[in-house]
Amino acid sequence: VAICYDSWLYSEFGQKFDSFLKTYFDINSIIHFKHSAFDNAEVGATVIELTKGKTKNSAKPIRIDLHDKTSLPMLTDLKSLNSFLNSHNKQQRKQKVFNNQLFEPIGQRFNSVRRGVETNGNKFFYVDDNEVTKKVTENIIKDVKTIKKFGTGSKDARKIIMVTKDNASKLDNKTKLYFEKVKTEINKESEGYSVLKKMLKVNDSQWFVSQPVKPGNLLFNYYIRNRADFLYNKDLLLASNNFYIMDSKEPMLDLALLNSSVTNKSIFSHARNQGKGLKKLQLYEFKNVHILKAEILDKKSREQLMQLGQNLVDCERGKESDIIKRIDKILYATLDKATVN
């Protein structure tokens, strides 16, 4: 039995660890405590039951996800442990079939889910209108706390300097002077700005170049607390790298589906605790969140959900409960009907 921090389940380096385990061991079960695995410590952990040596026909390991250690029943002997593991294994098999029939991952529903624009130093790239000329700036959605409604646009935007490789050599004098001022400030600091300092050494002429990211009409801020709100980017503005971006052909329908309690529960089941009530989803975790398949909706339900999605656009965040209840009612009726059939 191995007990270790649960970050390997969520991170890219964890894939190598997972591959190592599968190569040299038979993994019998993985019990994952998402929170409070130990007394007085708000951290997750995994308990891995494994056997040294790899057999040809080893069974797929039983995976159990628990909220915290209090969710684990009292196991007094090996028999009670095996009974507990087997019951969870059956439950997970049923849930997998259910998901495959009625739900699909967000990464499958939306072909190109991506993070927003990343800068080399936000302090210097998010600017006021008078600091550089307008032709090198663009509107960008940045601060989720200032967005009042589910529909966001120019009224919520900030200005970001967007210099691409194509126009890096064509800067006006005002912008050049601004970047020289920034360089001076960076070089004065003995600590900090490590990324920018490295870029200045490697490529002094293009350290300010940013990689453009195609805007999308749906946004999701991957730091969440009480609710996971999906926003409609009606003006197709750029979004910063604290957002995941999606392209929807039916944005009002998808806005309703994504903001339902069904999807919200799936979001929080994948989210990791960051402390003080804050949670986060990595991009690959977000892509695995399940959303109800739109094709199982009948014509009337689709039309109703599209209208409710439109209602959300103009709704103040925090005052959406009545709309969400109406969305949920339609989805639960659809699920009941599909399950019976």
Side-chain angles (χ1 to χ4, degrees), residues 8 29 35 86 97 100 136 139 151 202 232 310 320 340:
W8 69 278
S29 62
H35 313 282
N86 288 332
V97 172
N100 286 342
V136 296
N139 284 335
V202 174
Y232 176 53
Q310 185 62 59
E320 71 279 355
V340 170

Side-chain angles (χ1 to χ4, degrees), residues 66 69-76 84 88:
L66 301 172
K69 66 178 183 179
T70 62
S71 305
L72 187 67
M74 183 65 70
L75 304 175
T76 55
F84 174 71
H88 272 267

Side-chain angles (χ1 to χ4, degrees), residues 213-225:
V213 178
K214 178 188 172 187
N217 53 9
L218 293 177
L219 304 176
F220 176 78
N221 183 281
Y222 53 78
Y223 286 103
I224 56 177
R225 288 190 183 275

Side-chain angles (χ1 to χ4, degrees), residues 83-192:
S83 176
F84 174 71
L85 294 175
N86 288 332
S87 66
H88 272 267
N89 195 25
K90 292 177 182 178
Q91 183 179 355
Q92 286 182 343
R93 286 201 299 268
K94 290 180 181 178
Q95 185 63 38
K96 184 176 180 181
V97 172
F98 180 76
N99 283 342
N100 286 342
Q101 291 176 337
L102 305 177
F103 292 83
E104 61 185 336
I106 282 179
Q108 183 175 315
R109 171 79 168 162
F110 307 100
N111 291 329
S112 180
V113 183
R114 55 204 179 272
R115 286 184 68 176
V117 175
E118 185 171 4
T119 72
N120 297 323
N122 287 350
K123 176 181 177 180
F124 305 115
F125 287 84
Y126 286 89
V127 296
D128 296 325
D129 285 336
N130 61 347
E131 292 186 85
V132 294
T133 55
K134 290 184 179 180
K135 66 180 181 180
V136 296
T137 65
E138 292 192 39
N139 284 335
I140 187 169
I141 304 300
K142 167 65 176 170
D143 302 316
V144 69
K145 290 181 180 179
T146 65
I147 300 174
K148 303 301 182 185
K149 297 183 178 181
F150 284 82
T152 186
S154 301
K155 67 182 187 304
D156 300 316
R158 293 182 61 182
K159 293 290 185 182
I160 185 174
I161 298 175
M162 280 298 296
V163 178
T164 64
K165 290 182 179 180
D166 294 335
N167 62 7
S169 61
K170 305 172 185 177
L171 299 179
D172 59 274
N173 288 333
K174 187 174 183 179
T175 304
K176 287 180 180 178
L177 287 171
Y178 174 78
F179 283 138
E180 287 299 321
K181 176 184 173 183
V182 170
K183 283 173 62 176
T184 301
E185 183 173 345
I186 292 169
N187 290 325
K188 278 183 179 179
E189 295 290 334
S190 58
E191 298 181 0

